[in-house]
Amino acid sequence: MFQLDKQPKKVEEEYIKRFLPKLEERIKNGSKGIKLNCRQKSVLLPNWRTDKPDESILKKLLIGQPKEIKDLNDQIMSEMEGRFSNQIKLLNRLLHIFDYERVFDNSKSNSYWLARKIGRNTCTYCNRIYTFTVVRGKGKNDRERIARPTFDHWFPKDKYPLLSLSLYNLIPSCPICNSSVKGNTYFSLEKYIHPYVKEQGHPKFEFIPDKTTEVHPKWTVQIKRAEGSKEDNTIKAFALDDMYHMHGPLEVTDIMNFKERYPDNYLKTLVTKVLNDSNGKLTIQDVYSMLFGTDLNPDHYLDRPLSKMKRDLLKYLKIIEVH
């Protein structure tokens, strides 16, 4: 739901160096007793019998952009399925060869390396939960690797096994969004927001405060967006309306109480005083971080939980001015 930056070329090169050689080996020799036939090997790794096979297809699968890898997947599967009658068996065979479980789930070295390279603090989909990568010391062994975000396959690996290891198909997320809510929902680039695909004017949704219609009304929050839009489809897929409703009695109420209990110019006066007293050591962002625990810069929404929701509420109440 929120945007992730494309990784630097240096990280992409390291990704290739880290995962391509063993993937080539599994394509040539099989994995866990599962082997590809010669035709399938040639499609994925042309000239695989030679000392210098053509690695271009595998490199694209590993570091290609979302649309590129989706199109490449469809092309490869079309070629393979034309000569292989059992599609389910083919998908299962490719799952074993690309072997996400071995490469990431069973290798803390790889999974923690990637989590630290992406380096986001909160869930990409909901921005509600911290997903810190936590290590002791330098994190050189499994005992020093404590916690990390889960990686969601935006294109699910059971349907797109060729994209099991694709860098831009692995989205750092919280377990709730990854497993409890999304599960194996099939997304398409035409109908849903992909974190690595830059959408013009994104994000096209806004949080606004509201009150329940109970006997004793309570604050809640609505997510305003265009019905049937990519944002609408994605919000519904992750049940974000329901998830954010739970923050009504908590963070939403805190902000609304702040507005109701203090004069309109109180915050501006307070901010000005704190800035002046700091002698240039603090910025407006620093002050709002201290007061509301939010980040006002859209590029840093994923640094703190609920950043966009809080910013939108402060904007709605005209506590801050956003152009």
Side-chain angles (χ1 to χ4, degrees):
M1 193 60 193
F2 292 85
Q3 299 275 252
L4 292 172
D5 294 328
K6 184 178 182 295
Q7 291 298 310
K9 185 176 180 180
K10 183 178 179 181
V11 173
E12 292 183 342
E13 290 174 348
E14 190 173 351
Y15 197 88
I16 291 290
K17 183 178 179 180
R18 202 174 178 102
F19 302 117
L20 180 60
K22 290 185 178 180
L23 175 57
E24 275 193 35
E25 182 180 336
R26 293 194 298 275
I27 288 172
K28 291 178 180 178
N29 303 317
S31 173
K32 302 174 185 177
I34 304 295
K35 294 185 176 182
L36 298 178
N37 61 37
C38 292
R39 170 62 182 172
Q40 292 159 356
K41 293 177 186 179
S42 296
V43 171
L44 290 170
L45 189 64
N47 304 321
W48 61 273
R49 288 190 177 93
T50 69
D51 293 334
K52 294 183 178 181
D54 182 353
E55 300 172 333
S56 60
I57 293 174
L58 295 184
K59 286 182 178 180
K60 286 180 182 178
L61 287 174
L62 287 175
I63 63 168
Q65 291 297 295
K67 186 178 187 307
E68 181 183 18
I69 59 175
K70 170 61 167 59
D71 291 346
L72 182 57
N73 171 87
D74 293 349
Q75 175 189 331
I76 293 173
M77 293 305 298
S78 177
E79 292 183 44
M80 287 187 174
E81 289 171 355
R83 296 170 177 265
F84 200 87
S85 59
N86 192 325
Q87 184 185 35
I88 295 177
K89 189 174 181 180
L90 174 60
L91 292 175
N92 185 61
R93 183 178 292 187
L94 292 171
L95 269 175
H96 278 84
I97 298 301
F98 280 75
D99 206 353
Y100 172 83
E101 282 70 25
R102 175 191 290 182
V103 176
F104 281 105
D105 280 351
N106 299 333
S107 173
K108 286 190 174 183
S109 174
N110 290 334
S111 57
Y112 276 71
W113 171 82
L114 179 57
R116 294 176 81 173
K117 290 298 181 183
I118 296 176
R120 292 303 185 187
N121 294 340
T122 65
C123 176
T124 307
Y125 294 129
C126 72
N127 186 221
R128 298 185 316 110
I129 299 173
Y130 274 121
T131 53
F132 289 128
T133 302
V134 183
V135 299
R136 292 194 188 103
K138 296 183 178 180
K140 289 186 175 181
N141 56 59
D142 285 356
R143 287 177 298 177
E144 293 182 343
R145 296 163 183 146
I146 311 302
R148 66 167 177 86
T150 63
F151 292 123
D152 171 60
H153 287 82
W154 200 89
F155 296 109
K157 62 181 183 298
D158 63 338
K159 186 177 180 180
Y160 299 94
L162 294 173
L163 310 184
S164 297
L165 303 179
S166 299
L167 172 60
Y168 296 110
N169 193 40
L170 301 177
I171 312 301
S173 56
C174 68
I176 294 174
C177 287
N178 188 1
S179 301
S180 301
V181 181
K182 177 177 181 278
N184 288 323
T185 301
Y186 292 157
F187 284 174
S188 70
L189 294 171
E190 293 74 27
K191 293 184 178 181
Y192 295 88
I193 297 291
H194 191 297
Y196 281 112
V197 176
K198 300 296 183 183
E199 301 283 346
Q200 186 175 5
H202 183 79
K204 298 177 183 176
F205 63 95
E206 187 176 13
F207 293 92
I208 57 174
D210 195 11
K211 274 191 175 181
T212 62
T213 56
E214 302 168 0
V215 177
H216 301 288
K218 297 179 181 179
W219 283 109
T220 184
V221 67
Q222 296 181 4
I223 308 177
K224 184 180 179 181
R225 72 274 187 180
E227 186 176 354
S229 63
K230 287 186 179 183
E231 289 79 8
D232 184 42
N233 295 334
T234 306
I235 287 168
K236 289 176 179 176
F238 288 101
L240 294 184
D241 291 309
D242 303 285
M243 296 294 184
Y244 271 91
H245 177 76
M246 303 304 294
H247 292 278
L250 303 171
E251 294 85 358
V252 178
T253 297
D254 289 342
I255 292 176
M256 300 307 294
N257 286 345
F258 189 98
K259 175 65 174 177
E260 291 175 352
R261 293 174 183 176
Y262 294 95
D264 289 342
N265 64 346
Y266 173 78
L267 184 60
K268 291 182 179 180
T269 302
L270 177 60
V271 170
T272 300
K273 185 178 187 308
V274 173
L275 287 173
N276 291 338
D277 290 348
S278 74
N279 295 318
K281 293 180 180 179
L282 296 177
T283 66
I284 292 179
Q285 169 60 57
D286 295 329
V287 177
Y288 279 98
S289 294
M290 291 187 291
L291 290 173
F292 298 106
T294 188
D295 202 305
L296 300 180
N297 186 341
D299 293 335
H300 298 287
Y301 280 153
L302 293 179
D303 288 350
R304 294 171 179 264
L306 306 172
S307 279
K308 176 165 173 55
M309 184 195 79
K310 291 181 179 181
R311 182 180 186 270
D312 285 353
L313 294 181
L314 295 175
K315 175 186 174 183
Y316 180 88
L317 295 173
K318 299 182 180 179
I319 292 176
I320 62 172
E321 296 180 4
V322 179
H323 301 287

